[in-house]
Amino acid sequence: MKVMLVSICLLVFLSCANTQKTNLYDKEKVLTELNTVLNNSVPEYKSITDIGFSNTDKGVTIGYTIRDLTDTTNINKRTPDDKGDGIKFIENHFYHFAPVIMSMSYSHIAYLEDGNIKIFKSINCIDKGDDFDKFIAFAKTKLKGNNDVLENLENYRDFGEYLIEDNYGMTVNCKCKPCE
């Protein structure tokens, strides 16, 4: 009886030891969270489309762009026909997401850690969102000297795609940092 119990315990231990903990997040859950943040932060977008910010079942974002600032080769699909799985949401990565319409393109940064999503909202808007300098101070504690990623974070607006809808829509509708 003791030998059988020890054998069962050993089997359970070995099977647990052989499984690898994944550092990937559920894409649909993360995109749903990003959609919610954008729809709450930029409600005027619903005047353009009733569904607001969303994504297709293939993970293509609708109305906004998202970029991995930690690994800039990790990119989102632009159309459902794009090859591959699209962007992956990875533990300890920073992501820039913003509406594509320039006048509404309030920049948000998401950071994934311990299964949670921390979001800094509208960091490019001095009068609307979270403080950019506080965001950078937070990022420095997480990056521990990774200057390449820090440079990407400081230049987050370079990692986005924006549409200028007219000559008056060339800037974001807020006091911005950095301004285009």
Side-chain angles (χ1 to χ4, degrees):
M1 179 76 163
K2 286 185 182 179
V3 172
M4 189 166 87
L5 184 57
V6 170
S7 297
I8 291 172
C9 288
L10 187 58
L11 271 172
V12 169
F13 173 76
L14 287 176
S15 67
C16 289
N18 288 332
T19 59
Q20 292 182 355
K21 184 179 176 186
T22 179
N23 63 353
L24 293 179
Y25 285 59
D26 181 283
K27 185 184 296 188
E28 187 60 35
K29 287 181 182 177
V30 175
L31 288 174
T32 298
E33 178 72 21
L34 302 185
N35 294 339
T36 300
V37 167
L38 286 170
N39 283 316
N40 289 336
S41 297
V42 194
E44 57 269 32
Y45 185 71
K46 285 197 174 189
S47 68
I48 296 170
T49 175
D50 290 340
I51 61 170
F53 298 101
S54 59
N55 58 277
T56 69
D57 59 349
K58 300 221 183 231
V60 177
T61 56
I62 298 172
Y64 69 102
T65 180
I66 181 166
R67 298 298 173 133
D68 185 337
L69 299 175
T70 308
D71 174 5
T72 57
T73 65
N74 179 21
I75 59 173
N76 199 33
K77 291 182 171 196
R78 293 185 181 166
T79 68
D81 296 334
D82 286 350
K83 304 276 190 237
D85 295 330
I87 199 161
K88 293 171 181 58
F89 293 104
I90 304 168
E91 179 78 6
N92 299 320
H93 279 221
F94 287 92
Y95 297 86
H96 171 236
F97 62 108
V100 294
I101 296 174
M102 180 61 86
S103 62
M104 297 179 191
S105 69
Y106 308 121
S107 289
H108 301 68
I109 304 285
Y111 179 69
L112 307 180
E113 181 178 47
D114 296 329
N116 298 307
I117 306 171
K118 178 162 182 60
I119 297 178
F120 295 87
K121 299 175 184 167
S122 302
I123 63 169
N124 59 323
C125 293
I126 295 168
D127 57 346
K128 181 178 174 87
D130 291 323
D131 185 76
F132 177 77
D133 294 327
K134 287 181 183 176
F135 158 67
I136 291 297
F138 168 84
K140 285 180 179 178
T141 67
K142 300 300 179 180
L143 293 172
K144 297 177 179 80
N146 187 334
N147 291 331
D148 291 337
V149 175
L150 184 60
E151 186 176 332
N152 292 349
L153 296 176
E154 290 172 341
N155 298 298
Y156 64 92
R157 291 292 289 179
D158 293 342
F159 298 90
E161 298 171 25
Y162 313 104
L163 301 173
I164 298 171
E165 62 272 20
D166 59 39
N167 288 337
Y168 299 103
M170 293 178 66
T171 60
V172 181
N173 288 328
C174 66
K175 294 179 190 171
C176 61
K177 178 181 183 174
C179 290
E180 276 58 57

